[in-house]
Amino acid sequence: MSKMKATPHINPQGPIAKTILLPGDPLRAKFIAETYLEDAQQFNSVRNMLGFTGYYQGTQVSVMGSGMGIPSISLYAWELIHVYGCEKLIRIGTCGSLQPEVNVFDVVIAQAACSNSNFINQYNLPGTYAPIGSFRLIEAVRERAKANGVTSHVGNILSSDTFYNADPSFNDRWAKMGIIAVEMETAGLYATAADAGVEALGIFTVSDSLVTGEVTTAEQRQTAFTDMMELALPLAQI
Ligand code: HPA
């Protein structure tokens, strides 16, 4: 294989698959590669944003850290799509629940992602763009969640630029509009994928409830994480 060219953030030392899973934490990407993939080979180490490519049940799949926030995930997604040919980008992460029926450890599937970010202004649209996940991928994940007996919620989420917001009514105002959960990346991923005409999806486990104040321990999160991985990995095969 001829050496692939480097971008400002990725210097590939091996192949990158068409399907890539994007956890926020690069060490999580390493764990996924070691735990779930066969013949995993590291392809990136720039800024310690570790990326790996291996096989899941015979299908090539990559996994790389995305970092936190819309700017970080979006620049990696852009390079993965436009330079390395990725066609299916799956964010896997955690979110905070904004609704009483969305419990810790449940899975959230982001049908759409609102944001308080200005990221989408770059597209110069004459109105408000609604970033949505791939319906094909949503349907596939939802079906598998049902088959696996995993409680999942499909709905509108919030990709916030702020983890600590100065306005104490911030979460409540989004919750009132039916937003089911908050995280910090998916709206940027969805817009970047839409602009390029490729598929994207955000899948999360609920790590904390902003309704009840309930939080989970790292140990507890591991089980929920396994449930989510069993929904995300088969997407490489469709
Ligand atoms: N806010 C933003 N992002 C998050 C949260 C949260 O409460 N929980 C997990 N990711």
Side-chain angles (χ1 to χ4, degrees):
M1 192 184 69
S2 63
K3 211 167 180 317
M4 282 185 286
K5 68 175 170 184
T7 60
H9 309 98
I10 301 171
N11 185 10
Q13 305 299 308
I16 303 175
K18 298 244 177 275
T19 301
I20 187 157
L21 307 181
L22 298 165
D25 179 354
L27 291 179
R28 186 41 71 89
K30 186 169 192 274
F31 174 81
I32 290 166
E34 286 167 354
T35 310
Y36 296 100
L37 303 186
E38 277 159 36
D39 298 328
Q41 193 185 336
Q42 189 174 325
F43 70 80
N44 192 54
S45 60
V46 178
R47 286 179 186 249
N48 282 324
M49 200 55 86
L50 309 178
F52 303 83
T53 299
Y55 291 84
Y56 173 73
Q57 294 183 0
T59 303
Q60 194 182 45
V61 53
S62 293
V63 56
M64 186 173 101
S66 71
M68 285 180 285
I70 286 174
S72 186
I73 196 168
S74 301
L75 71 85
Y76 288 113
W78 195 97
E79 292 174 5
L80 288 166
I81 296 166
H82 292 277
V83 182
Y84 303 115
C86 292
E87 294 175 352
K88 209 190 289 164
L89 296 90
I90 321 287
R91 164 161 156 71
I92 45 177
T94 59
C95 65
S97 166
L98 290 176
Q99 300 293 338
E101 71 276 14
V102 179
N103 295 307
V104 292
F105 308 128
D106 288 356
V107 165
V108 166
I109 303 164
Q111 185 176 11
C114 302
S115 189
N116 58 347
S117 154
N118 279 328
F119 185 81
I120 286 161
N121 288 6
Q122 69 180 300
Y123 301 108
N124 284 314
L125 296 164
T128 309
Y129 180 72
I132 59 167
S134 156
F135 184 69
R136 199 175 77 91
L137 301 185
I138 292 171
E139 240 184 345
V141 170
R142 176 70 168 181
E143 287 301 311
R144 193 168 290 267
K146 280 188 202 160
N148 290 4
V150 172
T151 305
S152 67
H153 306 268
V154 182
N156 205 354
I157 67 149
L158 170 65
S159 299
S160 179
D161 267 358
T162 48
F163 188 89
Y164 303 103
N165 198 283
D167 178 354
S169 72
F170 181 78
N171 290 329
D172 292 345
R173 291 160 72 173
W174 286 105
K176 188 165 173 293
M177 285 301 281
I179 304 308
I180 62 173
V182 56
E183 51 84 78
M184 303 186 73
E185 292 82 16
T186 300
L189 174 65
Y190 282 3
T192 302
D195 176 56
V198 302
E199 289 186 294
L201 187 63
I203 313 170
F204 319 96
T205 60
V206 179
S207 59
D208 52 295
S209 170
L210 304 176
V211 182
T212 63
E214 195 178 352
V215 292
T216 56
T217 66
E219 220 172 8
Q220 291 172 321
R221 282 198 292 273
Q222 191 55 46
T223 316
F225 173 77
T226 304
D227 288 346
M228 178 177 64
M229 286 311 300
E230 286 166 2
L231 303 182
L233 282 163
L235 293 179
Q237 299 176 304
I238 66 165

